[in-house]
Amino acid sequence: MADYEEEQNLLGAEEDEDSLPVRPASDQTGRPLLAICDPAHLLHRIVVLVFMCFLGFGSYFCYDNPAALQTQVLQDLSLNTARFMQLYAWYSWPNVILCFFGGFLIDRVFGIRIGGESLAVAQNTYAVNWFKGKELNLVFGLQLSMARLGSTVNMNIMGWVYSKVALLVGPPGYRTLGVSLMIAAVTCIFSLICALVLAFLDKRAEKILQKEQGKTGEVIKLTDVKDFPFPLWIIFIICVSYYVAIFPFIGLGQMLFIEKFNFSPAEARAVNSIVYIISAPASPILGFMVDKTGKNVIWVICAVCTTLASHMMLAFTFWNPWIAMSLLGVSYSLLACALWPMVAFVVPEHQLGTAYGFMQSIQNLGLALIAMAAGAILDNKGYLVLQVFFCICICIALMAVVMLYFVDYLRGGDLNRSAAARAKLQKEATSDAE
């Protein structure tokens, strides 16, 4: 009995490690640091969290510049839709490769965690390094919310910025467009400053707390690909076939609402951004719900079905598009919360970096190809055929997720367990090992 109680005390101490009081750090003179300057104090970590959230703001703000200024880009640069969508494709092509090696370059070559396209790797590294246990899920949700806020702000103010620039530099044209995009690029400089501050704070914390440089585990091993389990490949198919019907659609959505629903450009930008507006507050809430209930595969099925319904409403009805786009925003947030964590459930820990890198790489490959295909379809066939094409992509995702459900059922239903059930199994496994 004494041995059992001692074991439980040790396990409890390990689980509540972050909640125990920490001895305040001291400066070179031996005096205790202020709470806001102490890396071990919650107040200092909140300051770090603010910089972490703004780290991705500029990147996501600038990514959606073409969608926010679709009519202006098409007119000022005399582009057709196919060439317009190449703006998104050229973003995705390099990232097919960079996602493999981003973690290696960040941790092994540069020695500091500053991400380019490997922004997700850098943010995840900071989150794991500074926040552990129950705080971590909330931190990931806040980071995602801030990223979606960047896209939302871009969608709703870039048209206004363009009109103000036109009043200063002359009539609309490529100069007006260029100045507007340069103004938007200032947000990337802001995010770069956040990255540099985070690198400094991270190095400072390691020095003060005398911690070794953390290992991200993001070094990609191509030989691990052959060991991926079958459910992981199904998850890859779901990821690609779902997201290619979201981001290219948003990139082209503004003209759809203008031409089919007779919206003004400002109204079109507003309805086109509702997906991101809903995602910002909904992602942490839905993530908490999925953690509590489990049933990840079931939630992914619900998200895919409601996404298909929203695309069909936009394609075959003249209902107010706010309904379909709001439904799409909830579905998009739910799928992100339920799909991406499943990777960690089907691969061992030492392969997580490889699995997530490969998943992001093939996602970028699919986005590049579908972006060009969507532009060509719109130029030659129109919006109805394009929406049918997106519905076909969602149907592929639906068939894949149904297959994943049955495969997981035959393997014991691990993907549908709740967080509490996983913690219980992990505790039992730890006890057996001890």
Side-chain angles (χ1 to χ4, degrees):
M1 176 63 75
D3 292 340
Y4 174 79
E5 291 178 354
E6 181 180 0
E7 179 183 351
Q8 294 303 309
N9 289 334
L10 289 174
L11 288 174
E14 181 179 353
E15 291 175 356
D16 297 331
E17 180 182 0
D18 288 336
S19 62
L20 294 176
V22 180
R23 181 174 60 87
S26 58
D27 58 17
Q28 295 178 351
T29 63
R31 292 178 300 181
L33 294 173
L34 296 175
I36 198 171
C37 301
D38 183 358
H41 198 279
L42 177 61
L43 183 59
H44 183 80
R45 291 192 292 154
I46 291 176
V47 174
V48 173
L49 177 60
V50 173
F51 284 104
M52 279 197 298
C53 289
F54 280 104
L55 177 61
F57 183 88
S59 174
Y60 282 91
F61 185 96
C62 288
Y63 174 79
D64 283 303
N65 275 330
L69 297 174
Q70 181 180 355
T71 55
Q72 292 87 345
V73 171
L74 292 173
Q75 294 172 2
D76 295 347
L77 300 182
S78 301
L79 300 178
N80 58 18
T81 310
R83 295 190 65 185
F84 168 79
M85 289 304 292
Q86 288 181 6
L87 295 173
Y88 286 102
W90 280 110
Y91 172 87
S92 297
W93 285 124
N95 302 324
V96 176
I97 304 299
L98 290 177
C99 287
F100 277 109
F101 303 105
F104 175 81
L105 293 175
I106 290 169
D107 275 338
R108 300 300 179 85
V109 178
F110 297 117
I112 57 176
R113 300 182 181 97
I114 300 176
E117 164 53 26
S118 302
L119 187 62
V121 177
Q123 286 181 310
N124 292 345
T125 302
Y126 280 124
V128 173
N129 193 39
W130 285 90
F131 298 90
K132 298 187 188 221
K134 297 179 181 179
E135 295 173 333
L136 193 57
N137 291 328
L138 177 60
V139 169
F140 281 133
L142 290 173
Q143 287 180 342
L144 179 61
S145 296
M146 184 58 68
R148 298 298 170 246
L149 181 62
S151 298
T152 302
V153 173
N154 176 272
M155 290 278 191
N156 288 280
I157 74 166
M158 283 308 297
W160 176 83
V161 170
Y162 181 91
S163 63
K164 294 300 180 182
V165 171
L167 295 176
L168 295 176
V169 303
Y174 67 90
R175 288 190 179 88
T176 302
L177 180 63
V179 174
S180 301
L181 295 177
M182 286 296 296
I183 293 174
V186 173
T187 59
C188 282
I189 298 176
F190 173 69
S191 291
L192 174 61
I193 294 172
C194 291
L196 295 174
V197 172
L198 282 171
F200 168 76
L201 293 176
D202 199 42
K203 290 292 184 181
R204 177 178 177 273
E206 289 176 358
K207 181 179 179 181
I208 293 176
L209 301 179
Q210 298 179 350
K211 297 189 302 182
E212 293 183 356
Q213 179 77 14
K215 303 295 183 181
T216 64
E218 293 290 342
V219 179
I220 301 301
K221 298 179 180 178
L222 296 179
T223 56
D224 287 343
V225 174
K226 63 180 174 50
D227 299 324
F228 286 165
F230 182 60
L232 183 60
W233 290 102
I234 302 178
I235 292 174
F236 291 162
I237 295 173
I238 298 169
C239 175
V240 175
S241 55
Y242 183 86
Y243 281 103
V244 297
I246 301 297
F247 295 126
F249 166 72
I250 293 176
L252 293 169
Q254 184 177 340
M255 291 302 297
L256 167 67
F257 302 121
I258 293 176
E259 295 181 6
K260 181 176 180 178
F261 298 98
N262 296 319
F263 278 18
S264 67
E267 293 173 328
R269 285 192 295 269
V271 72
N272 202 33
S273 66
I274 192 63
V275 173
Y276 295 144
I277 293 175
I278 291 176
S279 179
S283 294
I285 297 173
L286 294 175
F288 178 80
M289 179 189 69
V290 174
D291 277 339
K292 289 297 183 182
T293 62
K295 308 295 183 183
N296 287 62
V297 181
I298 300 298
W299 288 119
V300 172
I301 292 176
C302 294
V304 173
C305 289
T306 51
T307 301
L308 179 61
S310 64
H311 274 291
M312 293 180 69
M313 280 191 282
L314 291 170
F316 304 116
T317 73
F318 284 87
W319 296 353
N320 191 320
W322 284 96
I323 301 173
M325 294 299 287
S326 298
L327 183 62
L328 184 61
V330 175
S331 306
Y332 166 73
S333 304
L334 179 59
L335 182 125
C337 295
L339 179 69
W340 288 86
M342 286 198 292
V343 176
F345 303 155
V346 298
V347 298
E349 185 175 352
H350 72 277
Q351 290 183 337
L352 275 179
T354 305
Y356 276 118
F358 193 81
M359 189 172 179
Q360 290 174 342
S361 294
I362 62 174
Q363 182 190 25
N364 277 282
L365 177 62
L367 289 173
L369 295 174
I370 297 301
M372 294 188 298
I377 291 173
L378 185 56
D379 281 337
N380 297 300
K381 301 295 182 180
Y383 275 104
L384 177 60
V385 176
L386 179 63
Q387 284 298 107
V388 171
F389 174 72
F390 287 143
C391 289
I392 293 173
C393 294
I394 297 296
C395 287
I396 295 173
L398 180 59
M399 290 186 289
V401 72
V402 171
M403 181 187 299
L404 178 64
Y405 176 84
F406 286 107
V407 171
D408 177 63
Y409 178 79
L410 295 175
R411 291 175 174 240
D414 182 63
L415 294 180
N416 277 321
R417 287 195 177 99
S418 65
R422 295 183 195 283
K424 182 179 179 181
L425 288 176
Q426 181 64 31
K427 190 174 182 179
E428 292 175 353
T430 303
S431 299
D432 292 341
E434 292 177 350

